[in-house]
């Protein structure tokens, strides 16, 4: 398996390129519109065929590159079940498997940050956690039908049930971290370690964070798989 972590500095977004090195089939997870040229160049250089663009959720901080990549490569756009994106080619529910060559990607429904969010367990040794679980943090729950109690349940019941050695790769990082493990986050994540559900909800409901800068553009565009509305 080829596994690459790519970064968009403007939005602190990680995109993941995963491929089967035998079949050359590839997938991009959470692609960013402004990085489509970078991603397409890397695919070409490595001789890979993009089969899917896969979203962890409908993002509020960046516009997905799926629309452009689908046009350029004829790949399929895949989103979590019940996501507000009728343009998608496929919707993945909890426990469903997406195969990229011999690479197995299992969808784990992890709502809470939004009401339709998946983490993706890749070859049973690493998990792409989206905005559900971040390194020493977690996604906010104050818009897009977010719910703090649901997020706590998703993390503690779903993600923390994975083996402690499972590598954690989030969709964002704002502190310079690239990877963690489930065991580390159980022990050291300040929003979750030694905290019960009620205190987590109280914490999350009082963060008072500003809205993402691109929320007014990103959410409606991502509901159209990355097609930005043309202003009159």
């Amino acid at each position: 398996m080829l596994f690459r972590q790519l970064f968009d500095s403007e939005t602190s977004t990680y995109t993941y390129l995963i491929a089967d090195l035998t079949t050359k089939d590839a997938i991009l997870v959470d692609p960013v519109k402004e990085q489509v040229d970078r991603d397409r160049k890397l695919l070409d250089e490595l001789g890979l065929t993009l089969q899917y663009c896969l979203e962890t959720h409908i993002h509020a901080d960046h516009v997905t590159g799926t629309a452009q990549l689908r046009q350029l490569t004829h790949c399929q756009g895949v989103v979590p079940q019940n996501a507000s994106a009728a343009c998608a080619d496929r919707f993945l529910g909890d426990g469903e498997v997406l195969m990229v060559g011999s690479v197995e990607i299992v969808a784990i429904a992890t709502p809470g940050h939004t009401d339709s969010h998946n983490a993706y367990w890749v070859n049973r040794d690493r998990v792409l956690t989206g905005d559900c679980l971040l390194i020493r943090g977690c996604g906010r729950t104050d818009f897009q039908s977010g719910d703090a109690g649901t997020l706590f349940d998703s993390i503690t019941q779903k993600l923390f049930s994975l083996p402690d050695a499972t590598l954690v790769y989030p969709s964002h990082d704002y502190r310079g971290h690239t990877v963690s493990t489930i065991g580390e986050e159980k022990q050291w994540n300040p929003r979750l370690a030694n905290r019960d559900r009620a205190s987590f909800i109280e914490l999350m409901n009082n963060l008072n964070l500003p809205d993402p800068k691109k929320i007014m553009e990103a959410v409606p565009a991502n509901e159209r798989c990355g097609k930005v509305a043309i202003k009159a």
Side-chain angles (χ1 to χ4, degrees):
M1 178 176 68
L2 178 143
F3 186 88
R4 296 286 175 88
Q5 184 182 50
L6 307 169
F7 190 63
D8 176 66
S9 59
E10 182 184 1
T11 60
S12 299
T13 299
Y14 285 125
T15 296
Y16 296 94
L17 170 63
I18 304 169
D20 181 318
L21 288 171
T22 300
T23 66
K24 299 293 187 179
D25 292 330
I27 186 170
L28 281 167
V29 182
D30 290 340
V32 176
K33 179 176 179 286
E34 287 78 10
Q35 300 294 345
V36 165
D37 289 344
R38 174 202 67 188
D39 298 346
R40 179 69 187 279
K41 181 181 179 184
L42 184 57
L43 288 162
D44 289 344
E45 288 173 348
L46 299 177
L48 303 175
T49 300
L50 187 64
Q51 300 291 345
Y52 304 104
C53 282
L54 176 63
E55 305 289 353
T56 54
H57 63 293
I58 301 298
H59 302 273
D61 48 19
H62 70 270
V63 176
T64 178
T66 293
Q68 289 186 33
L69 287 161
R70 192 159 58 174
Q71 184 176 13
L72 290 167
T73 69
H74 306 292
C75 68
Q76 291 189 354
V78 185
V79 299
Q81 193 172 52
N82 300 320
S84 298
C87 53
D89 299 294
R90 183 171 174 182
F91 295 81
L92 275 187
D94 188 45
E96 288 193 71
V97 177
L98 190 65
M99 297 299 299
V100 183
S102 63
V103 179
E104 181 188 68
I105 299 174
V106 181
I108 303 173
T110 48
H113 172 63
T114 69
D115 57 1
S116 58
H117 186 292
N118 282 345
Y120 297 109
W121 194 20
V122 182
N123 272 0
R124 300 182 183 271
D125 71 354
R126 65 198 67 197
V127 61
L128 310 183
T129 55
D131 284 24
C132 177
L133 178 64
L134 305 178
I135 297 173
R136 308 300 192 265
C138 64
R140 59 196 293 179
T141 57
D142 56 338
F143 56 75
Q144 285 185 280
S145 302
D147 182 88
T150 301
L151 182 63
F152 183 84
D153 295 341
S154 291
I155 295 171
T156 59
Q157 296 175 20
K158 294 286 193 71
L159 297 181
F160 282 1
S161 69
L162 298 174
D164 282 355
T166 304
L167 297 171
V168 170
Y169 288 98
S171 285
H172 298 282
D173 188 82
Y174 308 97
R175 305 183 188 92
H177 297 290
T178 58
V179 61
S180 181
T181 66
I182 291 295
E184 275 187 50
E185 295 310 310
K186 285 181 181 177
Q187 183 175 4
W188 297 112
N189 192 306
R191 292 190 179 176
L192 295 152
N194 302 312
R195 192 181 296 276
D196 62 17
R197 193 176 191 270
S199 63
F200 178 83
I201 292 171
E202 182 179 7
L203 170 70
M204 296 302 294
N205 287 345
N206 290 281
L207 292 179
N208 298 316
L209 298 171
D211 284 345
K213 294 178 182 178
K214 294 188 175 184
I215 186 171
M216 299 305 292
E217 172 192 9
V219 171
N222 290 332
E223 288 176 345
R224 296 189 294 270
C225 296
K227 289 186 177 180
V228 179
I230 298 174
K231 295 180 180 179

